[in-house]
Amino acid sequence: MPGWTAPAQPAEKEPPPLIVSALTGDYRKNGAAVRNAFKFISAAARHSVVQLSVDGKAVALGTVVEAAGLVATKASELVPGKLTARLADERVVDARILAVDEDNDLALLKIEAKGLTAVLWNDGETAPGEWVATQGLATVPEAVGIISGIPRKILPPRALIGVNFAGDGELPRVLALAAGSGAEQAGIKPGDVILSVDEKAVQTKTELTTLLREFRAGRVIKLQLQRGADVIETSVALTAEAVVNAAQAQTAAPGGRGGRGGANGRNFTGTRVSKRAEDFDLVLQHDTVLEPWECGGPLLDLYGRAVGLNIARAGRVASYALPSVLVQKIIADLKTRAARAE
Amino acid sequence: MRTLRERVVSAAFRPFAWALLLAFPVAVIAAETPVVAASPAGPAIPVPPKVAPGQRLAAVFRKPAPTTITELRTIETRVKLIVAQVSPAVVAVTLRGGAISGSAVVISADGLVLSAAHVGGTPDRDVVFTFPDGRTAKGKTLGTDHGMDAGLMQITDAGPWPFAPVGDLTGARLSDWVVALGHPGGFEAQRPVVARLGRIIMMTPKTMQTDCIILSGDSGGPLFDMSGRVIGIHSSISTEAEQNFHVPITAFLATWTRLARSENWGTPAIAAGGRGRGGRDAGATGSVVPGGVRIDTVNQTGRAQRVMLQPGDVVLKFNGQGVASPADFLAQLAATEEKLTVTIKRGDRELDLQYTPNSGRGGRGGAAP
């Protein structure tokens, strides 16, 4: 049988092929050998982390913010069920939600444990290139990475009026309407050219989509259209992208390649993305590869202080953390709210 | 489960793989070389960039892994410096009014730009470059080598432009730390340039693999070594986070004259059915089993079939080295250009399958056991 041989004779003196080996996993950026160098910060910081489970299934990490049992985490991962927290010392205790900040997807929990170690916050500015470690309960971080850029706002999921534009031309000329979309209900017709949005003139498709990007679903906008020789005014309600796409079924959505894409568009590479991965006031983007259930815990610098709290796995290249200053402000608000409620 | 997921995702990814990355230029900080030489006949032809020397780096950069916080801090300081220094030279590239977008890097004050061939497409197309500070500049595509995915561009607006130095791969080796910059997902005004850290995982004359995680929109963007020199251009990815492929800078230097003369040649390797750059499909799927990778399926056209792998084989070694995961093994198998040996267990026998790329069917016809 050509093509394969018995185990090579040890006498074979042929030089090895040029380059075919690969760096073994342990020595890659997130490999065990590299993460092991972070053990010096993990030793203390792991005691400021809890692992949260619902009905025994791990859903998120949590960040200890007060020794008396206050923990902050990512709210949208806390599905209904029995919520428990595992500590670094192996204890498993009950946990309950005190208050939730929907805007930033942050929940404040009370866990049935005292004498905990609150995380140390680093309120300074971060710079691209700084190491960040996502700490779990283990003696080394779950994963490590670097800060990828300057803090920024993450816009809400795209809202659409529900039209496809024609061909390659730059004019925002309507080609087709998505069934059940705001555009259809408003009586927009194929061939119409959109002239302005809320009195603001638009000349190109790009200008138009950039403008629409600022609005959330549900918002009603005023459109001026050119239809033949007529100029028509109408009002259109924006629909969430996912809703439009679902209704549109076979038809491609506007935007397309090169744009931001929706939560689906960015993540064709096998990455599991958090359910809530958009619409945050301010985030630090880092390149750490996280699973959605590794969010909620502290994001540490090389001093073992938290520069933020992991709030979302957002795609192949990005995880987001709420910066420490913002987290502390939200926690203060949530404490006030929880106290009022009790 | 895992295999199924990989297969499905991989199929969905293919159309994107080639379209992902953006243009990459390099900004040269030091070289005073004239970048454009007047040619007596016809327009000026850009001369090759002067390769900047590598810098003397701290000991940790030659260690298999950092072991202390101090060493991590040494790496951090270096990476921060590089990102700050070279980011101004990393540009977003758009063609056809935004229909195509990618990344690139400026490598000379007068605006020579390195990118990927699949971003520019063909020579003499109009390009708009957007710098991180928001400035835009007009330009043209020059030569494109589709086989290597190397593309040269030129800013035609008057400079000087920020630029990054070009390196070579003379001292490069596996485990070297590298930084990827670019515009994953496309340009966003509030998110100037996105930095990612990784190490060189694999190198062949045709491609480099790193664990700097890149995405569509990064195509053409630069990969920097720890001397802050451009040593690669982002080209393609596959499903795993650690499968990121870059055009080695040597591809540009070796064919500079053709690129500078706006020649257009080569066939995209990925067109052959792309699992990653270099990127022929190995034509198989596998799963992790104790001691190696079990081959689950072998198609009739990929290299796995030519190597004579069969479903059920357990791959123990590739060229004498253990195999980490199905994805790693298949990427190595697909990308290797030299004679290769796959050590497998078939039934209760251990076998070495040998294969020499481009030698036609089968291996080298070694004696049957």
Side-chain angles (χ1 to χ4, degrees):
Chain A
M1 221 177 139
W4 57 274
T5 65
Q9 310 86 320
E12 199 170 294
K13 279 287 190 290
E14 218 177 308
L18 190 56
I19 300 172
V20 274
S21 58
L23 183 65
T24 53
D26 282 358
Y27 293 93
R28 298 182 184 183
K29 181 193 77 172
N30 198 39
V34 175
R35 278 185 291 126
N36 195 49
F38 290 78
K39 65 185 174 210
F40 305 101
I41 60 174
S42 297
R46 60 193 284 262
H47 295 286
S48 302
V49 182
V50 301
Q51 175 162 61
L52 297 164
S53 296
V54 172
D55 297 333
K57 183 175 181 289
V59 294
L61 298 173
T63 305
V64 176
V65 297
E66 270 185 29
L70 286 188
V71 167
T73 189
K74 178 169 173 58
S76 57
E77 298 296 332
L78 304 178
V79 291
K82 182 169 167 51
L83 187 62
T84 54
R86 178 184 290 275
L87 314 184
D89 63 12
E90 297 290 317
R91 265 186 297 166
V92 178
V93 299
D94 286 348
R96 65 189 166 94
I97 300 172
L98 292 180
V100 172
D101 178 283
E102 304 273 357
D103 289 347
N104 290 290
D105 200 21
L106 198 70
L108 186 65
L109 313 180
K110 175 80 176 79
I111 69 168
E112 295 309 316
K114 293 200 172 93
L116 303 174
T117 311
V119 75
L120 294 172
W121 297 105
N122 171 5
D123 294 344
E125 283 186 13
T126 52
E130 285 175 5
W131 280 112
V132 282
T134 292
Q135 183 61 46
L137 300 184
T139 52
V140 296
E142 299 292 300
V144 298
I146 62 165
I147 297 283
S148 287
I150 52 176
R152 72 182 203 282
K153 182 180 171 62
I154 303 298
L155 295 168
R158 196 153 58 157
L160 306 173
I161 54 175
V163 303
N164 282 348
F165 294 109
D168 264 351
E170 264 301 283
L171 268 187
R173 183 188 301 279
V174 176
L175 176 69
L177 304 166
S181 66
E184 191 187 52
Q185 285 159 16
I188 294 180
K189 291 191 162 46
D192 291 353
V193 174
I194 295 173
L195 301 175
S196 75
V197 175
D198 279 355
E199 326 271 321
K200 240 181 271 174
V202 290
Q203 251 130 46
T204 65
K205 286 184 284 194
T206 316
E207 273 180 36
L208 176 64
T209 45
T210 308
L211 208 55
L212 293 180
R213 188 69 201 138
E214 298 300 317
F215 302 123
R216 295 193 191 193
R219 168 75 187 268
V220 177
I221 55 171
K222 235 192 301 179
L223 291 183
Q224 206 177 36
L225 309 167
Q226 174 124 31
R227 182 175 299 163
D230 302 332
V231 173
I232 300 166
E233 296 224 345
T234 183
S235 294
V236 180
L238 285 138
T239 318
E241 183 177 28
V243 175
V244 175
N245 286 349
Q248 217 169 356
Q250 310 291 332
T251 321
R257 232 182 69 204
R260 285 171 50 86
N264 298 326
R266 284 203 303 272
N267 305 305
F268 47 79
T269 53
T271 311
R272 272 180 289 261
V273 175
S274 300
K275 281 173 283 187
R276 163 86 186 270
E278 291 178 302
D279 195 5
F280 298 106
D281 288 344
L282 198 65
V283 301
L284 297 170
Q285 179 172 332
H286 56 105
D287 71 350
T288 315
V289 177
L290 297 179
E291 295 291 348
W293 54 88
E294 290 173 322
C295 292
L299 185 68
L300 304 176
D301 65 12
L302 287 182
Y303 295 91
R305 300 169 309 187
V307 296
L309 182 148
N310 280 318
I311 201 66
R313 178 64 180 155
R316 176 180 168 97
V317 300
S319 296
Y320 297 152
L322 299 177
S324 64
V325 173
L326 178 61
V327 173
Q328 292 168 85
K329 181 180 164 295
I330 299 168
I331 290 169
D333 292 348
L334 290 176
K335 276 169 67 179
T336 313
R337 223 195 288 171
R340 226 182 288 143
E342 297 221 339
Chain B
M1 279 306 278
R2 175 180 175 79
T3 307
L4 178 65
R5 185 173 69 83
E6 280 183 354
R7 218 178 299 145
V8 168
V9 168
S10 168
F13 175 70
R14 269 172 207 156
F16 291 89
W18 202 229
L20 265 189
L21 304 179
L22 299 180
F24 86 133
V26 176
V28 175
I29 294 155
E32 292 298 322
T33 350
V35 176
V36 177
S39 137
I45 302 289
V47 303
K50 192 173 172 182
V51 170
Q55 297 173 12
R56 259 190 92 83
L57 297 171
V60 61
F61 291 104
R62 286 278 149 178
K63 286 181 67 172
T67 49
T68 64
I69 298 294
T70 308
E71 287 179 343
L72 288 169
R73 204 162 282 137
T74 303
I75 295 172
E76 177 177 275
T77 304
R78 192 84 212 162
V79 172
K80 281 170 70 175
L81 179 74
I82 290 167
V83 172
Q85 276 182 345
V86 301
S87 286
V90 179
V91 293
V93 180
T94 52
L95 290 93
R96 295 175 49 202
I100 298 172
S101 77
S103 302
V105 59
V106 184
I107 59 162
S108 70
D110 60 353
L112 267 178
V113 173
L114 305 186
S115 189
H118 76 271
V119 172
T122 53
D124 202 32
R125 293 169 84 175
D126 292 325
V127 183
V128 176
F129 301 102
T130 306
F131 285 83
D133 62 6
R135 276 190 298 173
T136 59
K138 289 197 181 70
K140 289 274 186 196
T141 56
L142 301 180
T144 45
D145 172 358
H146 295 279
M148 296 295 292
D149 199 20
L152 193 61
M153 300 178 181
Q154 172 78 59
I155 301 177
T156 49
D157 288 349
W161 303 104
F163 63 103
V166 172
D168 57 22
L169 294 173
T170 315
R173 55 175 214 181
L174 301 190
S175 86
D176 279 358
W177 291 93
V178 283
V179 173
L181 296 177
H183 295 284
F187 179 72
E188 288 179 44
Q190 286 76 38
R191 189 202 63 177
V193 177
V194 177
R196 284 136 292 169
L197 179 66
R199 306 186 84 173
I200 299 178
I201 289 177
M202 188 180 68
M203 274 193 291
T204 75
K206 293 213 162 174
T207 191
M208 295 168 76
Q209 183 188 348
T210 73
D211 52 357
C212 292
I213 305 176
I214 53 175
L215 183 61
S216 20
D218 276 317
S219 290
L223 184 74
F224 291 94
D225 68 8
M226 287 293 113
S227 296
R229 308 178 303 166
V230 178
I231 58 162
I233 292 298
H234 311 325
S235 175
S236 66
I237 60 175
S238 194
T239 51
E240 299 292 317
E242 294 177 344
Q243 292 174 318
N244 308 280
F245 300 92
H246 316 266
V247 185
I249 189 70
T250 44
F252 289 85
L253 302 176
T255 57
W256 184 267
T257 312
R258 298 185 75 182
L259 291 170
R261 285 184 182 146
S262 293
E263 289 185 36
N264 180 32
W265 76 99
T267 308
I270 206 141
R275 208 170 153 98
R277 161 91 203 143
R280 289 141 291 253
D281 193 343
T285 60
S287 19
V288 177
V289 294
V293 166
R294 189 188 63 230
I295 301 300
D296 294 327
T297 66
V298 177
N299 74 24
Q300 290 307 299
T301 56
R303 182 172 279 180
Q305 172 265 338
R306 291 197 294 278
V307 175
M308 309 201 68
L309 281 167
Q310 297 175 2
D313 289 350
V314 174
V315 178
L316 306 173
K317 287 177 183 169
F318 185 78
N319 286 326
Q321 305 263 346
V323 292
S325 72
D328 281 338
F329 165 67
L330 294 169
Q332 282 179 300
L333 181 63
T336 301
E337 301 298 332
E338 311 287 325
K339 179 188 163 190
L340 58 88
T341 303
V342 182
T343 307
I344 61 162
K345 190 157 192 201
R346 180 175 293 165
D348 48 13
R349 283 189 307 177
E350 202 168 292
L351 302 169
D352 278 350
L353 305 182
Q354 298 187 335
Y355 176 74
T356 305
N358 304 318
S359 69
R361 269 193 62 87
R364 307 218 306 184

